[in-house]
Amino acid sequence: MPHRPVLPHFSAGRKPGAAEAASAAPAPGPSAVVVGGGISGLIAARDMARRGMAVTLLEAASAVGGCVGTHTVAGLSLDSGAESFATRSSAVSDLIEELGLSGGVVNPNRDGAWLQLSGDDVAASAQRMPQTGMLGIPADPRAPEIVRAIGRAGAARAALDRILPVGSLARKESVSLGEVVRARMGDAVLRRLVAPVVGGVYSSDPDVLDVDSVAPGLRAALTKHGSLAAAVGAMRAAAPAGSAVAGLTGGMGMLTRALEEDLAALGVKIDTGVAVESVERSGNGWIVTAAGRTLSADALVMATDGPTAVELLAGTVPELAAARPGPGPGVALVTLVVDQPDLDAHPRGTGVLVAEDVEAVDAKALTHATAKWQWLADSTGPGTHVLRLSYGRALSAATAVQAQPSPVERDDEDLFAQALADASALLQIPLGVDDVVGWDVVRWVGALPSAAVGHRDRVAAVRAAVDAVPGLEVVGAWLAGTGLAAVTADTRARIAGLADQLDQL
Ligand SMILES: Cc1cc2nc3c(=O)[nH]c(=O)nc-3n(C[C@H](O)[C@H](O)[C@H](O)COP(=O)(O)OP(=O)(O)OC[C@H]3O[C@@H](n4cnc5c(N)ncnc54)[C@H](O)[C@@H]3O)c2cc1C
């Protein structure tokens, strides 16, 4: 039977000793502290509160939401991070339905994105993004639009995939996405199709990413079907029909807002601007310290980025140090709101993914947000457009040596000028400072954890160490994988386990 909820207890001043804190904690009943108010922390807090627990959520920033945030540019409320969710599972749409937001779910414009490849003539080197099976890997390397992207020689090499033995790729303990694609289909597919897609989604290089983390089941399908093309074709056929992503009218920030409102209705106490400094075990519970205050509770959910979680838990779960993740790539997003009626024709569909070797452009991707989302076009009206350009990706060891300084270190004016030049080149429409009615730069540092080779084993080690500590759960993209679908499904499963455990106490 669930315990009667008891509010976690915040005390000002001196940090109590373990015995003192235990006696200060209110009488029996599960209470929980959630550290971090990104989407994983908000979902964790909500699911625990719905199980009758008394929950306090502490968020370091001035607002909750983490990567699912909003900013105002030229009077428009826009997503500053995530702007869509994957529909390969119902995880996010189920949550959206529970929150009463289903009516706002929208599909992106079917026009799709373009691919910018290298070449002396930028316009001639752009083409519609070819239909690919998964993460830019073609299900049919002989399809005309694929041959156009990778060239005849590239297509001939890719066709070897059908006859090459699967060999050690299936047996190796861990292997990168880049290694799998290069071995099966060659460098042209890797650099001209897979790298631009992966750069857009993960801000990372395929040679960095663990194939089993970013494409679960792909290696098994490769073994089963005997070729990579057949594997991605089969996986694509098994995926739900229709658009692979969806959004919300008003932006994904609506999800954060709805969660925040629901938490308030459920009695969850949210403290923003509170960076947790330490957590420690005390008797059967936890003591959390932030800004010179302490909070005691029965359960602790760490919903921060990976390095912060490892650091805060160093005293309680020292085993985590071995699985401490790298900081992840720094990403700068430049949003331009421009008055330029020529953009009404959506010259590059919903945006452009840029291959790494395109020298004329620094951005790794451009999203033409008013072309992608009709609700946004309706709110700006004709002639006014929202463009979002992103800079920065984690590089493989081979490319890191030639790397420029991180884009997050470039100043705003520099990034603004770069974005105007890049947007003009990619869209083939000159855009000047006078066309701009508003702009903003948002920097994300370490917000896109890199699922580097060996990631699955590191996650398993973290989970084993955390599971051994009663009343503790650790959630978030650094363990679940990048993206709202992965984070939502994983957080809900982990919190159900924690709540069951507490019910049995
Ligand atoms: C630019 C960008 C675009 C993206 N686009 C998409 C997209 O379109 N679709 C998609 O599905 N996914 C997208 N993602 C990925 C997705 O947004 C993330 O995977 C997901 O939101 C991560 O949620 P989280 O709760 O794990 O982490 P976060 O959102 O990073 O939240 C962690 C929170 O912990 C807080 N915190 C850290 N330390 C402390 C501390 N000591 N005390 C208290 N609080 C602390 C942080 O301030 C932060 O709010 C995007 C990500 C970025 C950065």
Side-chain angles (χ1 to χ4, degrees), residues 35-40 58-61 65-68 81-85 274-276 303-305 308 312 333 444 447-448 476-477 482-484 487:
V35 182
I39 207 74
S40 63
L58 305 175
E59 164 55 48
C67 300
V68 192
E83 46 113 48
S84 64
F85 60 93
V274 178
V276 169
T304 63
D305 55 282
T308 303
L312 287 175
L333 295 182
W444 295 101
L448 287 160
T482 291
L484 302 180
V487 171

PDB file of all heavy atoms in Angstrom, residues 35-40 58-61 65-68 81-85 274-276 303-305 308 312 333 444 447-448 476-477 482-484 487, ligand 1:
ATOM      1  N   VAL A  35      16.667  16.249  -8.596  1.00  0.00           N
ATOM      2  CA  VAL A  35      17.694  17.252  -8.892  1.00  0.00           C
ATOM      3  C   VAL A  35      17.762  17.411 -10.404  1.00  0.00           C
ATOM      4  O   VAL A  35      18.147  16.482 -11.122  1.00  0.00           O
ATOM      5  CB  VAL A  35      19.064  16.831  -8.338  1.00  0.00           C
ATOM      6  CG1 VAL A  35      20.110  17.911  -8.628  1.00  0.00           C
ATOM      7  CG2 VAL A  35      18.978  16.565  -6.845  1.00  0.00           C
ATOM      8  N   GLY A  36      17.362  18.579 -10.911  1.00  0.00           N
ATOM      9  CA  GLY A  36      17.353  18.825 -12.356  1.00  0.00           C
ATOM     10  C   GLY A  36      15.936  18.870 -12.878  1.00  0.00           C
ATOM     11  O   GLY A  36      15.163  17.937 -12.667  1.00  0.00           O
ATOM     12  N   GLY A  37      15.603  19.968 -13.538  1.00  0.00           N
ATOM     13  CA  GLY A  37      14.230  20.154 -14.035  1.00  0.00           C
ATOM     14  C   GLY A  37      14.144  20.199 -15.543  1.00  0.00           C
ATOM     15  O   GLY A  37      13.346  20.931 -16.110  1.00  0.00           O
ATOM     16  N   GLY A  38      15.002  19.409 -16.213  1.00  0.00           N
ATOM     17  CA  GLY A  38      14.805  19.196 -17.645  1.00  0.00           C
ATOM     18  C   GLY A  38      13.614  18.267 -17.819  1.00  0.00           C
ATOM     19  O   GLY A  38      12.905  17.958 -16.856  1.00  0.00           O
ATOM     20  N   ILE A  39      13.429  17.797 -19.037  1.00  0.00           N
ATOM     21  CA  ILE A  39      12.241  16.979 -19.298  1.00  0.00           C
ATOM     22  C   ILE A  39      12.269  15.702 -18.449  1.00  0.00           C
ATOM     23  O   ILE A  39      11.233  15.252 -17.945  1.00  0.00           O
ATOM     24  CB  ILE A  39      12.121  16.683 -20.810  1.00  0.00           C
ATOM     25  CG1 ILE A  39      10.690  16.457 -21.217  1.00  0.00           C
ATOM     26  CG2 ILE A  39      12.996  15.560 -21.275  1.00  0.00           C
ATOM     27  CD1 ILE A  39       9.882  17.690 -21.275  1.00  0.00           C
ATOM     28  N   SER A  40      13.446  15.134 -18.219  1.00  0.00           N
ATOM     29  CA  SER A  40      13.506  13.893 -17.428  1.00  0.00           C
ATOM     30  C   SER A  40      13.139  14.174 -15.971  1.00  0.00           C
ATOM     31  O   SER A  40      12.410  13.393 -15.350  1.00  0.00           O
ATOM     32  CB  SER A  40      14.889  13.246 -17.527  1.00  0.00           C
ATOM     33  OG  SER A  40      15.870  14.088 -16.978  1.00  0.00           O
ATOM     34  N   LEU A  58      14.426  20.533  -7.712  1.00  0.00           N
ATOM     35  CA  LEU A  58      15.393  21.636  -7.637  1.00  0.00           C
ATOM     36  C   LEU A  58      16.066  21.813  -8.989  1.00  0.00           C
ATOM     37  O   LEU A  58      16.635  20.856  -9.529  1.00  0.00           O
ATOM     38  CB  LEU A  58      16.445  21.331  -6.574  1.00  0.00           C
ATOM     39  CG  LEU A  58      15.896  21.017  -5.173  1.00  0.00           C
ATOM     40  CD1 LEU A  58      17.026  20.601  -4.241  1.00  0.00           C
ATOM     41  CD2 LEU A  58      15.149  22.214  -4.606  1.00  0.00           C
ATOM     42  N   GLU A  59      15.983  23.007  -9.539  1.00  0.00           N
ATOM     43  CA  GLU A  59      16.549  23.278 -10.864  1.00  0.00           C
ATOM     44  C   GLU A  59      17.525  24.449 -10.762  1.00  0.00           C
ATOM     45  O   GLU A  59      17.197  25.499 -10.223  1.00  0.00           O
ATOM     46  CB  GLU A  59      15.412  23.582 -11.853  1.00  0.00           C
ATOM     47  CG  GLU A  59      15.829  24.241 -13.156  1.00  0.00           C
ATOM     48  CD  GLU A  59      16.902  23.473 -13.946  1.00  0.00           C
ATOM     49  OE1 GLU A  59      16.748  22.261 -14.122  1.00  0.00           O
ATOM     50  OE2 GLU A  59      17.898  24.113 -14.348  1.00  0.00           O
ATOM     51  N   ALA A  60      18.708  24.253 -11.330  1.00  0.00           N
ATOM     52  CA  ALA A  60      19.749  25.274 -11.222  1.00  0.00           C
ATOM     53  C   ALA A  60      19.420  26.536 -12.039  1.00  0.00           C
ATOM     54  O   ALA A  60      19.711  27.650 -11.604  1.00  0.00           O
ATOM     55  CB  ALA A  60      21.081  24.698 -11.690  1.00  0.00           C
ATOM     56  N   ALA A  61      18.814  26.347 -13.186  1.00  0.00           N
ATOM     57  CA  ALA A  61      18.532  27.502 -14.048  1.00  0.00           C
ATOM     58  C   ALA A  61      17.331  28.287 -13.522  1.00  0.00           C
ATOM     59  O   ALA A  61      16.637  27.845 -12.606  1.00  0.00           O
ATOM     60  CB  ALA A  61      18.272  27.031 -15.476  1.00  0.00           C
ATOM     61  N   GLY A  65      12.760  22.995 -17.757  1.00  0.00           N
ATOM     62  CA  GLY A  65      12.656  22.618 -19.175  1.00  0.00           C
ATOM     63  C   GLY A  65      13.973  22.127 -19.752  1.00  0.00           C
ATOM     64  O   GLY A  65      13.982  21.332 -20.680  1.00  0.00           O
ATOM     65  N   GLY A  66      15.087  22.649 -19.254  1.00  0.00           N
ATOM     66  CA  GLY A  66      16.387  22.240 -19.797  1.00  0.00           C
ATOM     67  C   GLY A  66      16.427  22.473 -21.295  1.00  0.00           C
ATOM     68  O   GLY A  66      16.163  23.587 -21.760  1.00  0.00           O
ATOM     69  N   CYS A  67      16.722  21.410 -22.044  1.00  0.00           N
ATOM     70  CA  CYS A  67      16.842  21.542 -23.509  1.00  0.00           C
ATOM     71  C   CYS A  67      15.498  21.793 -24.186  1.00  0.00           C
ATOM     72  O   CYS A  67      15.459  22.044 -25.393  1.00  0.00           O
ATOM     73  CB  CYS A  67      17.438  20.271 -24.109  1.00  0.00           C
ATOM     74  SG  CYS A  67      19.063  19.870 -23.500  1.00  0.00           S
ATOM     75  N   VAL A  68      14.395  21.662 -23.456  1.00  0.00           N
ATOM     76  CA  VAL A  68      13.087  21.943 -24.054  1.00  0.00           C
ATOM     77  C   VAL A  68      12.645  23.320 -23.548  1.00  0.00           C
ATOM     78  O   VAL A  68      11.719  23.464 -22.758  1.00  0.00           O
ATOM     79  CB  VAL A  68      12.066  20.836 -23.709  1.00  0.00           C
ATOM     80  CG1 VAL A  68      10.811  20.983 -24.566  1.00  0.00           C
ATOM     81  CG2 VAL A  68      12.671  19.465 -23.934  1.00  0.00           C
ATOM     82  N   GLY A  81      15.626  24.999 -27.966  1.00  0.00           N
ATOM     83  CA  GLY A  81      16.336  23.719 -28.068  1.00  0.00           C
ATOM     84  C   GLY A  81      15.498  22.773 -28.913  1.00  0.00           C
ATOM     85  O   GLY A  81      15.296  23.007 -30.108  1.00  0.00           O
ATOM     86  N   ALA A  82      14.980  21.703 -28.287  1.00  0.00           N
ATOM     87  CA  ALA A  82      14.197  20.708 -29.032  1.00  0.00           C
ATOM     88  C   ALA A  82      12.975  21.354 -29.673  1.00  0.00           C
ATOM     89  O   ALA A  82      12.319  22.197 -29.065  1.00  0.00           O
ATOM     90  CB  ALA A  82      13.763  19.591 -28.092  1.00  0.00           C
ATOM     91  N   GLU A  83      12.674  20.933 -30.917  1.00  0.00           N
ATOM     92  CA  GLU A  83      11.510  21.512 -31.604  1.00  0.00           C
ATOM     93  C   GLU A  83      10.601  20.424 -32.172  1.00  0.00           C
ATOM     94  O   GLU A  83       9.604  20.724 -32.835  1.00  0.00           O
ATOM     95  CB  GLU A  83      11.965  22.470 -32.714  1.00  0.00           C
ATOM     96  CG  GLU A  83      13.076  21.938 -33.593  1.00  0.00           C
ATOM     97  CD  GLU A  83      12.685  21.674 -35.026  1.00  0.00           C
ATOM     98  OE1 GLU A  83      12.060  22.550 -35.624  1.00  0.00           O
ATOM     99  OE2 GLU A  83      13.005  20.584 -35.535  1.00  0.00           O
ATOM    100  N   SER A  84      10.918  19.160 -31.918  1.00  0.00           N
ATOM    101  CA  SER A  84      10.064  18.074 -32.413  1.00  0.00           C
ATOM    102  C   SER A  84      10.320  16.840 -31.555  1.00  0.00           C
ATOM    103  O   SER A  84      11.209  16.834 -30.700  1.00  0.00           O
ATOM    104  CB  SER A  84      10.407  17.762 -33.873  1.00  0.00           C
ATOM    105  OG  SER A  84      11.743  17.284 -33.962  1.00  0.00           O
ATOM    106  N   PHE A  85       9.544  15.789 -31.793  1.00  0.00           N
ATOM    107  CA  PHE A  85       9.811  14.523 -31.103  1.00  0.00           C
ATOM    108  C   PHE A  85       9.622  13.367 -32.071  1.00  0.00           C
ATOM    109  O   PHE A  85       8.825  13.444 -33.003  1.00  0.00           O
ATOM    110  CB  PHE A  85       8.907  14.355 -29.863  1.00  0.00           C
ATOM    111  CG  PHE A  85       7.426  14.351 -30.163  1.00  0.00           C
ATOM    112  CD1 PHE A  85       6.745  13.165 -30.390  1.00  0.00           C
ATOM    113  CD2 PHE A  85       6.716  15.547 -30.226  1.00  0.00           C
ATOM    114  CE1 PHE A  85       5.376  13.156 -30.660  1.00  0.00           C
ATOM    115  CE2 PHE A  85       5.350  15.556 -30.507  1.00  0.00           C
ATOM    116  CZ  PHE A  85       4.677  14.364 -30.725  1.00  0.00           C
ATOM    117  N   VAL A 274      18.230  27.065  -8.127  1.00  0.00           N
ATOM    118  CA  VAL A 274      18.836  26.364  -6.985  1.00  0.00           C
ATOM    119  C   VAL A 274      19.746  25.253  -7.518  1.00  0.00           C
ATOM    120  O   VAL A 274      19.267  24.211  -7.961  1.00  0.00           O
ATOM    121  CB  VAL A 274      17.741  25.749  -6.066  1.00  0.00           C
ATOM    122  CG1 VAL A 274      18.391  24.977  -4.920  1.00  0.00           C
ATOM    123  CG2 VAL A 274      16.819  26.824  -5.533  1.00  0.00           C
ATOM    124  N   ALA A 275      21.035  25.496  -7.519  1.00  0.00           N
ATOM    125  CA  ALA A 275      21.988  24.484  -7.984  1.00  0.00           C
ATOM    126  C   ALA A 275      22.369  23.597  -6.813  1.00  0.00           C
ATOM    127  O   ALA A 275      22.910  24.081  -5.806  1.00  0.00           O
ATOM    128  CB  ALA A 275      23.233  25.150  -8.566  1.00  0.00           C
ATOM    129  N   VAL A 276      22.058  22.337  -6.909  1.00  0.00           N
ATOM    130  CA  VAL A 276      22.386  21.402  -5.827  1.00  0.00           C
ATOM    131  C   VAL A 276      23.902  21.251  -5.742  1.00  0.00           C
ATOM    132  O   VAL A 276      24.579  21.063  -6.749  1.00  0.00           O
ATOM    133  CB  VAL A 276      21.679  20.052  -6.062  1.00  0.00           C
ATOM    134  CG1 VAL A 276      22.206  18.983  -5.124  1.00  0.00           C
ATOM    135  CG2 VAL A 276      20.178  20.234  -5.889  1.00  0.00           C
ATOM    136  N   ALA A 303      18.509  13.983 -12.095  1.00  0.00           N
ATOM    137  CA  ALA A 303      18.042  14.168 -13.474  1.00  0.00           C
ATOM    138  C   ALA A 303      18.834  15.298 -14.140  1.00  0.00           C
ATOM    139  O   ALA A 303      18.291  16.120 -14.862  1.00  0.00           O
ATOM    140  CB  ALA A 303      16.540  14.482 -13.478  1.00  0.00           C
ATOM    141  N   THR A 304      20.124  15.306 -13.869  1.00  0.00           N
ATOM    142  CA  THR A 304      20.995  16.338 -14.442  1.00  0.00           C
ATOM    143  C   THR A 304      21.729  15.761 -15.657  1.00  0.00           C
ATOM    144  O   THR A 304      21.492  14.635 -16.052  1.00  0.00           O
ATOM    145  CB  THR A 304      22.045  16.768 -13.407  1.00  0.00           C
ATOM    146  OG1 THR A 304      22.868  15.629 -13.118  1.00  0.00           O
ATOM    147  CG2 THR A 304      21.407  17.267 -12.120  1.00  0.00           C
ATOM    148  N   ASP A 305      22.683  16.522 -16.176  1.00  0.00           N
ATOM    149  CA  ASP A 305      23.614  15.992 -17.163  1.00  0.00           C
ATOM    150  C   ASP A 305      24.514  14.960 -16.479  1.00  0.00           C
ATOM    151  O   ASP A 305      24.605  14.912 -15.238  1.00  0.00           O
ATOM    152  CB  ASP A 305      24.453  17.143 -17.738  1.00  0.00           C
ATOM    153  CG  ASP A 305      25.147  17.896 -16.626  1.00  0.00           C
ATOM    154  OD1 ASP A 305      24.496  18.721 -15.937  1.00  0.00           O
ATOM    155  OD2 ASP A 305      26.323  17.625 -16.390  1.00  0.00           O
ATOM    156  N   THR A 308      27.556  16.098 -14.010  1.00  0.00           N
ATOM    157  CA  THR A 308      27.046  16.610 -12.726  1.00  0.00           C
ATOM    158  C   THR A 308      26.548  15.465 -11.849  1.00  0.00           C
ATOM    159  O   THR A 308      26.826  15.427 -10.642  1.00  0.00           O
ATOM    160  CB  THR A 308      25.911  17.636 -12.958  1.00  0.00           C
ATOM    161  OG1 THR A 308      26.416  18.679 -13.774  1.00  0.00           O
ATOM    162  CG2 THR A 308      25.389  18.208 -11.653  1.00  0.00           C
ATOM    163  N   LEU A 312      28.082  14.676  -8.193  1.00  0.00           N
ATOM    164  CA  LEU A 312      27.279  14.789  -6.972  1.00  0.00           C
ATOM    165  C   LEU A 312      27.168  13.443  -6.244  1.00  0.00           C
ATOM    166  O   LEU A 312      27.033  13.406  -5.020  1.00  0.00           O
ATOM    167  CB  LEU A 312      25.877  15.329  -7.295  1.00  0.00           C
ATOM    168  CG  LEU A 312      25.802  16.819  -7.655  1.00  0.00           C
ATOM    169  CD1 LEU A 312      24.383  17.211  -8.079  1.00  0.00           C
ATOM    170  CD2 LEU A 312      26.248  17.696  -6.493  1.00  0.00           C
ATOM    171  N   LEU A 333      23.206  27.885 -31.435  1.00  0.00           N
ATOM    172  CA  LEU A 333      22.079  28.027 -32.360  1.00  0.00           C
ATOM    173  C   LEU A 333      21.849  29.511 -32.599  1.00  0.00           C
ATOM    174  O   LEU A 333      21.710  30.277 -31.646  1.00  0.00           O
ATOM    175  CB  LEU A 333      20.795  27.456 -31.743  1.00  0.00           C
ATOM    176  CG  LEU A 333      20.724  25.963 -31.467  1.00  0.00           C
ATOM    177  CD1 LEU A 333      19.353  25.611 -30.915  1.00  0.00           C
ATOM    178  CD2 LEU A 333      20.971  25.181 -32.748  1.00  0.00           C
ATOM    179  N   TRP A 444      24.434  25.790 -26.146  1.00  0.00           N
ATOM    180  CA  TRP A 444      24.193  24.583 -25.343  1.00  0.00           C
ATOM    181  C   TRP A 444      25.533  23.899 -25.138  1.00  0.00           C
ATOM    182  O   TRP A 444      26.174  23.496 -26.106  1.00  0.00           O
ATOM    183  CB  TRP A 444      23.238  23.633 -26.081  1.00  0.00           C
ATOM    184  CG  TRP A 444      21.864  24.204 -26.258  1.00  0.00           C
ATOM    185  CD1 TRP A 444      21.352  24.777 -27.383  1.00  0.00           C
ATOM    186  CD2 TRP A 444      20.820  24.249 -25.282  1.00  0.00           C
ATOM    187  NE1 TRP A 444      20.057  25.180 -27.163  1.00  0.00           N
ATOM    188  CE2 TRP A 444      19.707  24.871 -25.884  1.00  0.00           C
ATOM    189  CE3 TRP A 444      20.719  23.830 -23.949  1.00  0.00           C
ATOM    190  CZ2 TRP A 444      18.508  25.081 -25.204  1.00  0.00           C
ATOM    191  CZ3 TRP A 444      19.531  24.038 -23.277  1.00  0.00           C
ATOM    192  CH2 TRP A 444      18.441  24.659 -23.900  1.00  0.00           C
ATOM    193  N   ALA A 447      24.912  19.626 -23.605  1.00  0.00           N
ATOM    194  CA  ALA A 447      23.500  19.244 -23.508  1.00  0.00           C
ATOM    195  C   ALA A 447      23.177  18.056 -24.412  1.00  0.00           C
ATOM    196  O   ALA A 447      22.129  17.448 -24.272  1.00  0.00           O
ATOM    197  CB  ALA A 447      22.612  20.425 -23.873  1.00  0.00           C
ATOM    198  N   LEU A 448      24.063  17.767 -25.354  1.00  0.00           N
ATOM    199  CA  LEU A 448      23.841  16.629 -26.250  1.00  0.00           C
ATOM    200  C   LEU A 448      24.905  15.584 -25.932  1.00  0.00           C
ATOM    201  O   LEU A 448      25.971  15.572 -26.525  1.00  0.00           O
ATOM    202  CB  LEU A 448      23.949  17.073 -27.711  1.00  0.00           C
ATOM    203  CG  LEU A 448      22.768  17.894 -28.220  1.00  0.00           C
ATOM    204  CD1 LEU A 448      23.150  18.679 -29.454  1.00  0.00           C
ATOM    205  CD2 LEU A 448      21.574  17.007 -28.508  1.00  0.00           C
ATOM    206  N   GLY A 476      17.881  10.659 -17.416  1.00  0.00           N
ATOM    207  CA  GLY A 476      18.343  11.733 -18.302  1.00  0.00           C
ATOM    208  C   GLY A 476      18.980  11.193 -19.559  1.00  0.00           C
ATOM    209  O   GLY A 476      19.273   9.995 -19.680  1.00  0.00           O
ATOM    210  N   ALA A 477      19.205  12.110 -20.496  1.00  0.00           N
ATOM    211  CA  ALA A 477      19.664  11.728 -21.824  1.00  0.00           C
ATOM    212  C   ALA A 477      21.039  11.066 -21.808  1.00  0.00           C
ATOM    213  O   ALA A 477      21.350  10.284 -22.701  1.00  0.00           O
ATOM    214  CB  ALA A 477      19.693  12.961 -22.719  1.00  0.00           C
ATOM    215  N   THR A 482      20.007  10.493 -26.515  1.00  0.00           N
ATOM    216  CA  THR A 482      19.513  11.828 -26.864  1.00  0.00           C
ATOM    217  C   THR A 482      18.111  11.751 -27.472  1.00  0.00           C
ATOM    218  O   THR A 482      17.818  10.848 -28.242  1.00  0.00           O
ATOM    219  CB  THR A 482      20.484  12.465 -27.883  1.00  0.00           C
ATOM    220  OG1 THR A 482      21.704  12.733 -27.207  1.00  0.00           O
ATOM    221  CG2 THR A 482      19.930  13.766 -28.444  1.00  0.00           C
ATOM    222  N   GLY A 483      17.275  12.701 -27.122  1.00  0.00           N
ATOM    223  CA  GLY A 483      15.958  12.817 -27.765  1.00  0.00           C
ATOM    224  C   GLY A 483      14.824  12.593 -26.781  1.00  0.00           C
ATOM    225  O   GLY A 483      14.939  11.812 -25.829  1.00  0.00           O
ATOM    226  N   LEU A 484      13.727  13.298 -27.043  1.00  0.00           N
ATOM    227  CA  LEU A 484      12.598  13.256 -26.120  1.00  0.00           C
ATOM    228  C   LEU A 484      11.972  11.874 -26.035  1.00  0.00           C
ATOM    229  O   LEU A 484      11.513  11.463 -24.966  1.00  0.00           O
ATOM    230  CB  LEU A 484      11.548  14.286 -26.549  1.00  0.00           C
ATOM    231  CG  LEU A 484      12.070  15.730 -26.614  1.00  0.00           C
ATOM    232  CD1 LEU A 484      10.979  16.684 -27.035  1.00  0.00           C
ATOM    233  CD2 LEU A 484      12.633  16.136 -25.267  1.00  0.00           C
ATOM    234  N   VAL A 487      14.286   9.709 -23.798  1.00  0.00           N
ATOM    235  CA  VAL A 487      14.309  10.194 -22.410  1.00  0.00           C
ATOM    236  C   VAL A 487      12.961   9.917 -21.721  1.00  0.00           C
ATOM    237  O   VAL A 487      12.914   9.470 -20.571  1.00  0.00           O
ATOM    238  CB  VAL A 487      14.649  11.707 -22.383  1.00  0.00           C
ATOM    239  CG1 VAL A 487      14.456  12.286 -20.987  1.00  0.00           C
ATOM    240  CG2 VAL A 487      16.090  11.935 -22.849  1.00  0.00           C
TER     241      VAL A 487
HETATM  242  C1  LIG B   1      19.777  22.387 -29.329  1.00  0.00           C
HETATM  243  C2  LIG B   1      19.065  21.101 -29.071  1.00  0.00           C
HETATM  244  C3  LIG B   1      18.066  20.684 -29.936  1.00  0.00           C
HETATM  245  C4  LIG B   1      17.412  19.477 -29.714  1.00  0.00           C
HETATM  246  N1  LIG B   1      16.403  19.104 -30.557  1.00  0.00           N
HETATM  247  C5  LIG B   1      15.698  17.983 -30.285  1.00  0.00           C
HETATM  248  C6  LIG B   1      14.545  17.662 -31.051  1.00  0.00           C
HETATM  249  O1  LIG B   1      14.137  18.405 -31.946  1.00  0.00           O
HETATM  250  N2  LIG B   1      13.884  16.515 -30.741  1.00  0.00           N
HETATM  251  C7  LIG B   1      14.272  15.696 -29.711  1.00  0.00           C
HETATM  252  O2  LIG B   1      13.628  14.678 -29.458  1.00  0.00           O
HETATM  253  N3  LIG B   1      15.337  16.006 -28.947  1.00  0.00           N
HETATM  254  C8  LIG B   1      16.045  17.125 -29.203  1.00  0.00           C
HETATM  255  N4  LIG B   1      17.113  17.457 -28.423  1.00  0.00           N
HETATM  256  C9  LIG B   1      17.504  16.549 -27.332  1.00  0.00           C
HETATM  257  C10 LIG B   1      16.548  16.633 -26.155  1.00  0.00           C
HETATM  258  O3  LIG B   1      16.113  17.948 -25.990  1.00  0.00           O
HETATM  259  C11 LIG B   1      17.286  16.144 -24.903  1.00  0.00           C
HETATM  260  O4  LIG B   1      17.761  14.822 -25.122  1.00  0.00           O
HETATM  261  C12 LIG B   1      16.402  16.140 -23.642  1.00  0.00           C
HETATM  262  O5  LIG B   1      15.599  17.297 -23.558  1.00  0.00           O
HETATM  263  C13 LIG B   1      17.312  15.998 -22.435  1.00  0.00           C
HETATM  264  O6  LIG B   1      16.544  16.098 -21.250  1.00  0.00           O
HETATM  265  P1  LIG B   1      17.227  15.852 -19.829  1.00  0.00           P
HETATM  266  O7  LIG B   1      16.191  16.088 -18.806  1.00  0.00           O
HETATM  267  O8  LIG B   1      17.933  14.544 -19.825  1.00  0.00           O
HETATM  268  O9  LIG B   1      18.416  16.930 -19.737  1.00  0.00           O
HETATM  269  P2  LIG B   1      18.413  18.508 -19.700  1.00  0.00           P
HETATM  270  O10 LIG B   1      17.353  19.076 -20.550  1.00  0.00           O
HETATM  271  O11 LIG B   1      19.833  18.882 -19.997  1.00  0.00           O
HETATM  272  O12 LIG B   1      18.075  18.867 -18.192  1.00  0.00           O
HETATM  273  C14 LIG B   1      18.988  18.736 -17.134  1.00  0.00           C
HETATM  274  C15 LIG B   1      18.672  19.835 -16.133  1.00  0.00           C
HETATM  275  O13 LIG B   1      19.467  19.663 -14.962  1.00  0.00           O
HETATM  276  C16 LIG B   1      19.772  20.951 -14.476  1.00  0.00           C
HETATM  277  N5  LIG B   1      20.923  20.846 -13.566  1.00  0.00           N
HETATM  278  C17 LIG B   1      22.211  20.551 -13.875  1.00  0.00           C
HETATM  279  N6  LIG B   1      22.972  20.575 -12.761  1.00  0.00           N
HETATM  280  C18 LIG B   1      22.151  20.871 -11.730  1.00  0.00           C
HETATM  281  C19 LIG B   1      22.339  21.020 -10.322  1.00  0.00           C
HETATM  282  N7  LIG B   1      23.550  20.866  -9.746  1.00  0.00           N
HETATM  283  N8  LIG B   1      21.273  21.336  -9.546  1.00  0.00           N
HETATM  284  C20 LIG B   1      20.043  21.497 -10.085  1.00  0.00           C
HETATM  285  N9  LIG B   1      19.807  21.370 -11.430  1.00  0.00           N
HETATM  286  C21 LIG B   1      20.842  21.047 -12.231  1.00  0.00           C
HETATM  287  C22 LIG B   1      20.066  21.751 -15.734  1.00  0.00           C
HETATM  288  O14 LIG B   1      20.006  23.136 -15.503  1.00  0.00           O
HETATM  289  C23 LIG B   1      18.981  21.236 -16.665  1.00  0.00           C
HETATM  290  O15 LIG B   1      17.805  22.027 -16.629  1.00  0.00           O
HETATM  291  C24 LIG B   1      17.769  18.672 -28.603  1.00  0.00           C
HETATM  292  C25 LIG B   1      18.767  19.100 -27.721  1.00  0.00           C
HETATM  293  C26 LIG B   1      19.408  20.308 -27.943  1.00  0.00           C
HETATM  294  C27 LIG B   1      20.473  20.781 -26.984  1.00  0.00           C
END
